[in-house]
Amino acid sequence: MNLSTKFLGIKMVNPLVLASGILGVSGANLAAVCRDGCGAATTKSIWLKFHAGHANPTVLHLGNGNLINAVGLPHGGIEEARIEVENFRRLSKSPLFASIAGSRLEEYAATVEAVAKLKPDLIELNISCPNVEDEFGKPFACDMNLAAEATKLAKARCRGIPLAVKLSPNVANIAQIAKAVEAAGADAIVAINTVGPGMVIDIETAQPILANRVGGLSGPAIKPIAVKAVFDIYKAVKIPIIGVGGISSGANAIEIMQAGATLVGIGSSVVDGGSKVFAKIAKEMETWCKAHKIKNISEVVGLAHRN
Ligand code: DHB
């Protein structure tokens, strides 16, 4: 049994993807994570121009692998992205997913246009960061029409590179938003981004601890929310799903694939366990598949939808 898979024409050694924002700061870092066993790596969200991000503290460990963060999507801008992609390509043959951030629709459009020229294997539109205000004061992914508009603008500028749209769990009906994004031209859905935002208060100072006051929750506590979101989206759309949210074991990966994910993003557990978690998770998935006489990992996708 091997875990190799093809996603929108992209060949991968396994369905595991380094999620955006984790270790994806340099081409060398991204290549190292691929060497350690992920099937593809996602960059930090790329901005067209330098973006400072938030002041410290930006990340709090809540215990049991759970995190709250408001890094504020810091990034050096498109020239830095170009250098990092070039460095990655020199060091690795693995697929590279480029995540894109922005605060206005036209900015997303311009960034997609610039990033597409760097020829990543997939473009991930991050329209769901809970900590960066966009022009309408909430993430585009929280509004069906804005999510569709962002997707349409991006799709027209992707130069044929597959476009995945990263959705927010902080909505009443994520499946409805996935449907709108699919109709607008998305080739895949990434679900979910962090949950919240939430707040942690230091009771001695009576002040929120994060400099941004609020941040997105991630880690094992959000896995059931991610599994439910993927389950609902799988029922609503035909395009494939990259399931993300609190995955830290082979059993977790199989679970979110049974809900409907074709690929599995891993973020917070890399913060805790380093990039060796990919090899561990892949091995656990193989063991499970062998025990259940599964020859091809794609057989697992959507199993939870059988009557
Ligand atoms: C940040 C971005 C995200 O997409 C997220 O889910 C949480 C935090 C950030 O950079 O602040």
Side-chain angles (χ1 to χ4, degrees):
M1 156 28 80
N2 82 55
L3 294 174
S4 64
T5 191
K6 219 172 175 188
F7 184 78
L8 299 170
I10 305 161
K11 278 193 196 143
M12 296 172 55
V13 293
N14 63 44
L16 305 178
V17 181
L18 174 73
S20 182
I22 317 284
L23 290 182
V25 276
S26 76
N29 259 332
L30 289 160
V33 179
C34 290
R35 224 166 34 234
D36 283 348
C38 65
T42 313
T43 67
K44 270 189 79 64
S45 294
I46 298 166
W47 291 77
L48 202 52
K49 301 208 172 95
F50 172 83
H51 192 258
H54 296 314
N56 281 320
T58 53
V59 185
L60 304 176
H61 290 252
L62 304 174
N64 300 319
N66 297 300
L67 304 170
I68 183 166
N69 94 85
V71 179
L73 296 175
H75 190 263
I78 190 69
E79 277 315 306
E80 194 174 293
R82 185 189 317 283
I83 291 164
E84 298 308 353
V85 172
E86 281 170 10
N87 285 341
F88 177 83
R89 294 299 193 198
R90 257 198 299 277
L91 294 166
S92 179
K93 294 215 173 346
S94 295
L96 183 66
F97 296 177
S99 170
I100 287 177
S103 53
R104 290 173 299 109
L105 284 171
E106 307 86 77
E107 190 178 19
Y108 273 103
T111 312
V112 170
E113 197 160 330
V115 168
K117 291 183 188 150
L118 308 181
K119 300 194 173 83
D121 296 280
L122 176 142
I123 289 176
E124 174 186 287
L125 207 59
N126 179 7
I127 54 169
S128 45
C129 170
N131 306 319
V132 174
E133 291 245 315
D134 62 38
E135 62 187 309
F136 301 104
K138 62 179 178 187
F140 293 139
C142 293
D143 180 294
M144 194 170 76
N145 296 323
L146 290 172
E149 186 61 23
T151 304
K152 210 165 94 193
L153 288 170
K155 180 69 178 179
R157 291 161 177 82
C158 271
R159 298 175 165 232
I161 295 166
L163 175 69
V165 180
K166 189 162 186 178
L167 297 186
S168 169
N170 313 312
V171 294
N173 188 344
I174 194 170
Q176 190 181 52
I177 296 185
K179 254 174 119 69
V181 157
E182 177 185 48
D187 299 298
I189 300 287
V190 185
I192 55 177
N193 210 317
T194 54
V195 170
M199 179 183 279
V200 179
I201 292 171
D202 174 349
I203 60 171
E204 298 311 318
T205 60
Q207 289 298 307
I209 300 177
L210 290 170
N212 187 54
R213 305 174 77 83
V214 300
L217 286 158
S218 62
I222 74 162
K223 180 171 66 71
I225 296 173
V227 168
K228 159 84 161 59
V230 169
F231 189 92
D232 289 351
I233 294 167
Y234 184 84
K235 270 197 299 195
V237 303
K238 294 202 164 54
I239 53 178
I241 305 164
I242 304 177
V244 198
I247 304 301
S248 66
S249 68
N252 293 169
I254 297 290
E255 182 184 359
I256 203 160
M257 291 184 84
Q258 288 185 344
T262 300
L263 300 184
V264 180
I266 319 269
S268 299
S269 84
V270 180
V271 174
D272 252 23
S275 54
K276 63 179 188 297
V277 298
F278 288 103
K280 178 194 90 94
I281 295 172
K283 183 124 205 67
E284 290 168 357
M285 290 170 81
E286 268 175 23
T287 305
W288 189 91
C289 286
K290 267 185 213 144
H292 293 79
K293 302 200 174 6
I294 283 168
K295 292 203 171 58
N296 190 315
I297 189 65
S298 63
E299 294 166 41
V300 174
V301 179
L303 275 182
H305 295 264
R306 282 185 314 189
N307 287 330

